Amino acid sequence: MSFRYEPPQVEQTVSVAPTQRGDRLVDKTVKHVAKGWIPINPSTLKVVKGKLAAGAYRTDTDEFINDIKLDPGLVVHCMRRLGTLVDIPKRESNPIQLLKQLEEEKLATLLSVEEADASMHRFEDATKHQALQLQATLLSTQAAEGMAPKASVDPDTAYTSSFLRQVGYALIAWNYPDIYNRLIVAHRSKGIDIEAELVKLLGVTPHQLAYLVAGQLNIAGASAAALTRRPEYSSDNPLPKICELADLFARSKDPQSYPEAQKNILERQAELNQFIPLELREKIEKRVATFLKEQTGLQALQELPLVKDLVRLNQEGPGATAFKLNAYAQRCAPALRKKFEEIYATADLSRVSLDALRELTNDLIPRLGFEFGCLYMHDGRTGALEPALRVGSKPLRSYALTSSSWHHVVASSIDNALPYKAEGIARDGSTSVYMCSGLGNKKFRGVLYLELHPLYVTNADHPSLLHFQAIRQAINDFLGPIT
């Protein structure tokens, strides 16, 4: 086999230096973001104004709420202007519920605004990271709403809580773009704590900033209380938990900025499934991706991974046919099946598709429950099995075959198409379960070796054999035609 791959070394970035602290810094930050706010999407504003003029909201303000929720800048504007139109209670006030009560004349007053009136920024000038933050806001808020019924939480409260948590990040992304971009890059490459660095630079975390802004927007009650960073979870107060899970779901769709999100969401998969099924999460992804794709005037949105995945899925090709023939992948859970479909859609099946193999090993295989592993390829010159692709953080050289007992199992599996599953003891004394089998590829002989994540070692319900076979078939497809 002629290819070897290991993920690149982490990117070096300029370190973030601490700055002044104290209430003065906090006041300065709040005043600065309250001056700039978040821009309105002119496309959404035009649609909403048109529907208002046509009388579409006359008897259905829920439709108005659903429309503005696609534009965080417009939601913030409506919250800011709401106090000039109605008397806002001091306690338990939720602006979404109050907006639903507005009659048509007041809605017209609320929307008598131009893009430049709402913010000093222009939506069309959005950078890559500002576009990703918009994606995160839409995914998180819709996920929180979707979880609300299962948690016996009011959906409007869940939406507002999730929205406020995201608004803190959005305010920083738009009003301190250089700081925000630098911290996202530093988090990705060095794993720095974004919130801790923001406290040094701006005096507040995004959630604390959102809490302070919530006071200016007259938002009180449960929605504001859910903004604490490490809330106490309880059956009586599930709101902070569903907000945190919604944030995690949103970050998992931005693996470049938050590479740890895939591991974190795997560890909390049971909690996530408890509140929102995979099918609903899949619908939310498609709904958000479709909306973002329709915003053709902003190139930064068209470059989002979520949008690119949607475009690829809409372009049927040889990969789509091969995906349908992978019977094991077809039997996986919907979200996992979708990921298989996305990777197949990008694969060039006329040759060895390195990009597809890398995405499979770096992204999907960990989602399928395998923490470490290696694809071994047969060297025709020496007759030896050589590590070619790794799964997980262990270096490729650590998989070199020596005289260990499991190495003999790997070597003897090259011509065995039936997966072999065994249990062993890892170096730290923990139980390790591994699976291996030959690829069964006449052109590229090799062995697939994978170790189960500890979460699934004792989980009898985890379909490890199904997942292993789906991976094995995908690898064979991505190695190109046999003849």
Side-chain angles (χ1 to χ4, degrees), residues 280-323:
L280 181 53
R281 299 204 298 271
E282 190 173 293
K283 287 181 180 178
I284 290 172
E285 286 181 50
K286 186 173 182 180
R287 187 186 308 145
V288 171
T290 300
F291 169 74
L292 295 173
K293 179 178 177 293
E294 291 171 350
Q295 310 307 301
T296 55
L298 183 55
Q299 186 60 31
L301 295 183
Q302 306 312 309
E303 297 299 322
L304 291 171
L306 205 65
V307 175
K308 286 186 173 182
D309 288 343
L310 180 67
V311 172
R312 284 197 292 265
L313 290 177
N314 290 336
Q315 297 173 341
E316 289 282 328
T321 301
F323 164 69

Side-chain angles (χ1 to χ4, degrees), residues 198-216:
L198 284 172
V199 171
K200 296 176 186 177
L201 293 163
L202 304 179
V204 290
T205 69
H207 292 173
Q208 290 167 346
L209 177 61
Y211 185 85
L212 294 171
V213 171
Q216 295 188 4

Side-chain angles (χ1 to χ4, degrees), residues 60-80:
D60 189 1
T61 51
D62 282 345
E63 184 176 354
F64 166 72
I65 297 299
N66 291 333
D67 287 342
I68 67 169
K69 282 178 179 178
L70 294 171
D71 182 4
L74 189 53
V75 173
V76 169
H77 163 75
C78 290
M79 289 180 176
R80 290 171 59 196

Side-chain angles (χ1 to χ4, degrees), residues 396-407:
L396 198 60
R397 62 180 178 274
S398 69
Y399 292 99
L401 298 181
T402 58
S403 58
S404 299
S405 59
W406 69 268
H407 290 177

Side-chain angles (χ1 to χ4, degrees), residues 208-240:
Q208 290 167 346
L209 177 61
Y211 185 85
L212 294 171
V213 171
Q216 295 188 4
L217 300 177
N218 295 305
I219 300 172
S223 295
L227 289 169
T228 53
R229 186 183 180 198
R230 303 267 184 235
E232 291 295 327
Y233 300 147
S234 69
S235 57
D236 296 330
N237 183 29
L239 184 58

Side-chain angles (χ1 to χ4, degrees), residues 67-217:
D67 287 342
I68 67 169
K69 282 178 179 178
L70 294 171
D71 182 4
L74 189 53
V75 173
V76 169
H77 163 75
C78 290
M79 289 180 176
R80 290 171 59 196
R81 292 285 302 276
L82 185 59
T84 65
L85 301 175
V86 296
D87 291 328
I88 299 178
K90 294 295 183 181
R91 296 181 179 180
E92 298 299 326
S93 59
N94 187 309
I96 296 300
Q97 295 170 348
L98 295 174
L99 285 169
K100 288 181 178 180
Q101 301 170 16
L102 293 183
E103 54 269 27
E104 193 174 27
E105 305 82 61
K106 289 185 177 180
L107 285 180
T109 302
L110 193 67
L111 295 175
S112 60
V113 61
E114 299 301 327
E115 180 187 6
D117 300 329
S119 170
M120 62 185 294
H121 310 293
R122 281 169 29 97
F123 186 79
E124 294 88 343
D125 296 333
T127 65
K128 169 187 172 182
H129 289 123
Q130 288 164 346
L132 284 167
Q133 182 51 47
L134 170 61
Q135 172 185 292
T137 300
L138 297 180
L139 288 171
S140 181
T141 52
Q142 293 198 25
E145 275 192 290
M147 295 182 198
K150 286 286 185 69
S152 300
V153 172
D154 173 65
D156 291 335
T157 301
Y159 169 85
T160 305
S161 300
S162 178
F163 180 77
L164 287 173
R165 290 165 68 99
Q166 290 294 329
V167 157
Y169 282 93
L171 286 168
I172 294 171
W174 279 99
N175 294 285
Y176 294 96
D178 292 340
I179 289 177
Y180 185 79
N181 292 352
R182 183 160 33 122
L183 292 183
I184 291 294
V185 171
H187 174 76
R188 179 183 72 220
S189 60
K190 294 183 176 181
I192 69 147
D193 187 324
I194 295 176
E195 295 191 358
E197 293 299 328
L198 284 172
V199 171
K200 296 176 186 177
L201 293 163
L202 304 179
V204 290
T205 69
H207 292 173
Q208 290 167 346
L209 177 61
Y211 185 85
L212 294 171
V213 171
Q216 295 188 4
L217 300 177

Side-chain angles (χ1 to χ4, degrees), residues 323-442:
F323 164 69
K324 293 174 183 177
L325 294 176
N326 187 333
Y328 302 107
Q330 298 300 321
R331 290 165 54 197
C332 290
L336 299 172
R337 186 173 66 244
K338 177 188 176 186
K339 189 59 185 178
F340 267 112
E341 185 178 11
E342 292 171 356
I343 297 177
Y344 268 95
T346 66
D348 181 356
L349 302 187
S350 65
R351 56 184 177 83
V352 176
S353 184
L354 286 177
D355 288 342
L357 286 168
R358 290 166 183 167
E359 191 168 1
L360 181 71
T361 53
N362 291 345
D363 185 11
L364 181 53
I365 291 179
R367 292 196 199 190
L368 291 163
F370 298 98
E371 186 175 24
F372 301 109
C374 180
L375 172 62
Y376 293 90
M377 302 308 298
H378 182 260
D379 190 325
R381 295 170 300 174
T382 65
L385 280 172
E386 298 289 345
L389 279 174
R390 74 178 190 183
V391 175
S393 58
K394 295 179 182 178
L396 198 60
R397 62 180 178 274
S398 69
Y399 292 99
L401 298 181
T402 58
S403 58
S404 299
S405 59
W406 69 268
H407 290 177
H408 290 299
V409 174
V410 171
S412 63
S413 296
I414 190 167
D415 293 318
N416 189 351
L418 294 176
Y420 177 85
K421 185 175 183 179
E423 183 177 300
I425 304 298
R427 292 178 183 176
D428 61 0
S430 61
T431 302
S432 174
V433 172
Y434 67 88
M435 302 179 68
C436 66
S437 83
L439 291 180
N441 191 305
K442 296 178 181 179

